[in-house]
Structures are given as C-alpha cells and as structure tokens.
Amino acid sequence: MTSSTTSRPGGRSAKVRDAVYTAVGQLMGEGTASITVPAVAQRAGVNPTSVYRRWGDIDTLLEEVAVAALTREGDQPPDTGSLVGDLTQWAQIIVDDVTRPHRTRYLRAMVSARSGEVEACPCWEQRRGQSRTIIERAQDRGELVPTVDQVLDHLIAPIYHHVVFGLSADHAYADRLVRDVVALSAR
Amino acid sequence: MTSSTTSRPGGRSAKVRDAVYTAVGQLMGEGTASITVPAVAQRAGVNPTSVYRRWGDIDTLLEEVAVAALTREGDQPPDTGSLVGDLTQWAQIIVDDVTRPHRTRYLRAMVSARSGEVEACPCWEQRRGQSRTIIERAQDRGELVPTVDQVLDHLIAPIYHHVVFGLSADHAYADRLVRDVVALSAR
C-alpha cells in the first residue's frame, strides 16, 4: 500500500488512467484505423497535455493498454507437470486470446503505431518471462528443453505473425508448433 | 504479347496502374498512417471509381503493391548447392529487404489494413513457392529436409514478426533461425 496520491486507487490519477484506457478500448472496438493522443483525450474527457505528460506518445500508451489487456499482471503459465503439456496449454491460451477480434485489433494497432525498432517490447518481455518459467520447471524435472529464445522464435512469434497478417491460427496450428519446438530440445 | 488494350504496356490501364502504385508508394513513404482509396485516387489524379472498379478495396490494392515491391515476379531463391546455404542466403535477402524503412512501412500498412482472416495472402504464397523450390532441390540432392510449412513457420514467420513489431532482425537472427529449422530435417 502506497501513500502517494498519484497512484492511490480511486485517486485523480487512477481516474484519468481508467478514462484513457476506456477511450482506447472504445476506439479500438470501433475499428478506428488511426488512434491519436488528441482523439483519445477527447473521448476520455481529459486534456491532451495530461496524456502526453503521463505516457509521452500514443505508442507508449497503446503498448501499456495492450500489455494490460493481453497479459494480466503476474500471469502464471500452466503447470501440467511436463514440458509438452505446459507449452501446449500455454500456446492454446495465447491462440484463444489473440484471435478474439478485439485482441487482434489491439495487436494490429500496436504494429501500426510502431515506427523503427523498439528498445524493448513489454508484451514480448512478458512472454519471455513466462517461457523462462516453463523451461526452468522442466529443467528442474530433468527434462530435455529448448532455449527460451527458441520457444519465443518458433512457438510465440509464428502465432503472432499469423494473427496480425490474418492467416489462420488455431489449436492444431499451436500443437504443430509445439511439436517442432520440443524436437529442438537439448540438455 | 497480348493484343488486349486493357493490359497493353503503355496503355491507359498500365498508366493508371503506374500512377496508383506511385501514389501508394508516396503515401507510404510519407508515413501516412491510414491510406484510403480516395487519398490514393486524389494523389494519382484518377477517379476513385477507377480504383474501386479495378482493385475492389484498399486492402487488395495495398497487398498487390506490397507483393510487387517485396517479391519481384518470378523471383528465384538462391541456388548454392546445399539446403543450409540456400536457406541462409534466402533468409538474409529477406531480412535485408523487409528491414528497409519503406519496406517495413509497407508490411505495417498491410497489417493495419487487415480485418479478420484472409483467404490467402499472395506474399505468403510467394514465400511458400520459394520454400518449396529450395526443399525440392535439396531432396533431389538426397539431403534431409524440413517440410515447406516448417520453413515458413520457423524461418519466415519469425522474421516478419520481428520486423512488424519493431524487434531487432538481422543476419545473425536469420542464421539462428536457419540452424533451428535445418535441425528439424527428416527424410
């Protein structure tokens, strides 16, 4: 529990954040092609300056909203007792999540808002952390494992690729990717 | 050589296509967030109706321009004499191509223009054809090979994923992906 007024739940700061998140969600939900800080501010009923001061630019804001929407804070990956079980369930959860129309819209809006390379992508780092958890648990059980990067490159990246480009991504696709990445395992 | 006036090089149809392609390229180059048929038509100095009649919608037009820009018609993948050589050169060519700022902009515009799933993605089908060529040549030499889908899923998809999301994609990344997909080879 913090005593800072800027982060107190229900405080002015939290109200601005909620209004801005809701505005972003509404604009996304309406399929707005290009979401801008002024558009978000107007919808949220706040001053654009408040949005710029807090988030810097629209890219940072969309990223934060996407992280909040796509990967709940502290989300733990499945713990089924085997590497293949964990990866299969985890990949299916991700497929179910990102193929929902409003989630796909979030991802496409993120891509559209990107320019150049990013220093780090919080969504991606969250997936890296979950991948590491699954791998380390499997290692502790003495299983052969792929690397964390191999899981990101060969299981997660193809799912995101298919979803944002509008190619089919379902459980069968996820299962096929899991089989391949497990085949890359080494001690 | 065809006698049809609609496809005769230098004919009215070709002039419209060139003007429209140039307009799309200009709008992309300027970093226009949302490219629309009316905007393209205005820039190209043609009637929007001509654009709608020929391409149907902006998504189809952007896709056609992207295919033309990203994968030259009849482009043959490298033929180095080995599977690992072909995949390495091919992946490096793709990385060099799609990481150029205006190419990345094309891809992001394609993603941004997508809604729902697509029946087929010409860019992707072009990559599938190139992947098949490389695999079949390797099989003819008696090499162990991954499947065409494994090459698309584990070599091409991660490169496109990294580029559109703004994560780093370079030759070292391509080489790492090639090593993994070659490790999936079976007779």
Side-chain angles (χ1 to χ4, degrees):
Chain A
M1 189 74 78
T2 170
S3 64
S4 160
T5 49
T6 56
S7 62
R8 193 180 60 207
R12 176 169 154 64
S13 172
K15 278 185 190 149
V16 168
R17 190 202 57 217
D18 289 351
V20 165
Y21 271 41
T22 302
V24 170
Q26 285 172 353
L27 292 168
M28 293 272 184
E30 292 160 15
T32 304
S34 174
I35 296 182
T36 61
V37 167
V40 169
Q42 186 182 23
R43 181 68 64 101
V46 304
N47 198 304
T49 315
S50 308
V51 177
Y52 285 119
R53 197 185 309 118
R54 181 148 172 183
W55 285 279
D57 56 27
I58 191 69
D59 206 354
T60 307
L61 171 60
L62 291 180
E63 180 94 22
E64 187 183 298
V65 174
V67 170
L70 294 168
T71 55
R72 290 181 299 283
E73 192 89 29
D75 235 3
Q76 283 299 310
D79 191 1
T80 65
S82 78
L83 174 67
V84 69
D86 285 1
L87 291 178
T88 301
Q89 276 202 12
W90 185 47
Q92 292 182 349
I93 289 169
I94 292 174
V95 164
D96 289 344
D97 217 42
V98 295
T99 54
R100 286 188 231 166
H102 69 285
R103 302 286 167 109
T104 304
R105 247 182 252 120
Y106 272 121
L107 286 173
R108 288 186 176 140
M110 274 178 62
V111 164
S112 161
R114 285 264 188 275
S115 63
E117 280 189 17
V118 291
E119 293 274 320
C121 178
C123 270
W124 198 240
E125 292 311 309
Q126 179 101 356
R127 296 304 185 200
R128 184 184 299 280
Q130 293 176 318
S131 169
R132 186 174 292 117
T133 300
I134 291 174
I135 298 288
E136 286 175 353
R137 282 197 307 233
Q139 279 177 316
D140 290 346
R141 286 188 300 261
E143 289 192 73
L144 296 178
V145 291
T147 67
V148 170
D149 277 332
Q150 283 175 323
V151 170
L152 291 176
D153 289 339
H154 301 298
L155 178 58
I156 308 306
I159 292 174
Y160 278 72
H161 169 272
H162 270 41
V163 167
V164 298
F165 278 96
L167 300 167
S168 170
D170 55 16
H171 283 201
Y173 182 60
D175 292 350
R176 192 172 96 195
L177 297 172
V178 168
R179 269 197 303 275
D180 287 342
V181 80
V182 167
L184 293 171
S185 296
R187 206 175 286 275
Chain B
M1 188 74 80
T2 170
S3 64
S4 158
T5 49
T6 56
S7 62
R8 193 181 58 207
R12 177 170 154 63
S13 172
K15 278 186 192 149
V16 168
R17 189 203 56 218
D18 288 351
V20 165
Y21 272 41
T22 302
V24 170
Q26 285 173 353
L27 292 168
M28 292 274 184
E30 291 160 15
T32 305
S34 173
I35 296 182
T36 62
V37 167
V40 170
Q42 187 182 23
R43 180 68 64 100
V46 304
N47 197 303
T49 315
S50 309
V51 178
Y52 286 118
R53 196 186 309 120
R54 181 151 173 181
W55 285 279
D57 56 28
I58 191 69
D59 204 353
T60 307
L61 171 60
L62 291 180
E63 179 95 21
E64 186 182 301
V65 175
V67 170
L70 293 169
T71 56
R72 290 181 301 283
E73 193 89 28
D75 235 1
Q76 284 297 312
D79 190 1
T80 65
S82 77
L83 174 67
V84 69
D86 286 0
L87 291 178
T88 300
Q89 277 202 13
W90 186 47
Q92 291 181 351
I93 289 169
I94 293 174
V95 163
D96 289 345
D97 217 44
V98 296
T99 54
R100 285 188 231 165
H102 68 285
R103 302 286 166 110
T104 305
R105 247 182 250 121
Y106 271 122
L107 286 174
R108 288 184 176 141
M110 275 179 60
V111 165
S112 162
R114 286 262 188 275
S115 62
E117 280 188 16
V118 291
E119 293 273 319
C121 178
C123 271
W124 198 239
E125 291 310 309
Q126 180 101 355
R127 295 305 184 199
R128 183 184 298 281
Q130 293 176 317
S131 168
R132 187 174 293 119
T133 300
I134 291 174
I135 298 288
E136 287 175 353
R137 281 197 308 233
Q139 279 178 315
D140 289 346
R141 287 188 300 261
E143 288 191 74
L144 296 178
V145 291
T147 67
V148 170
D149 278 331
Q150 283 175 324
V151 170
L152 292 175
D153 290 339
H154 301 299
L155 178 57
I156 309 305
I159 291 174
Y160 279 72
H161 169 272
H162 270 41
V163 168
V164 298
F165 279 96
L167 300 166
S168 169
D170 55 15
H171 283 201
Y173 182 60
D175 292 350
R176 191 172 97 194
L177 297 172
V178 167
R179 271 196 302 277
D180 286 341
V181 80
V182 167
L184 294 171
S185 297
R187 205 173 286 274

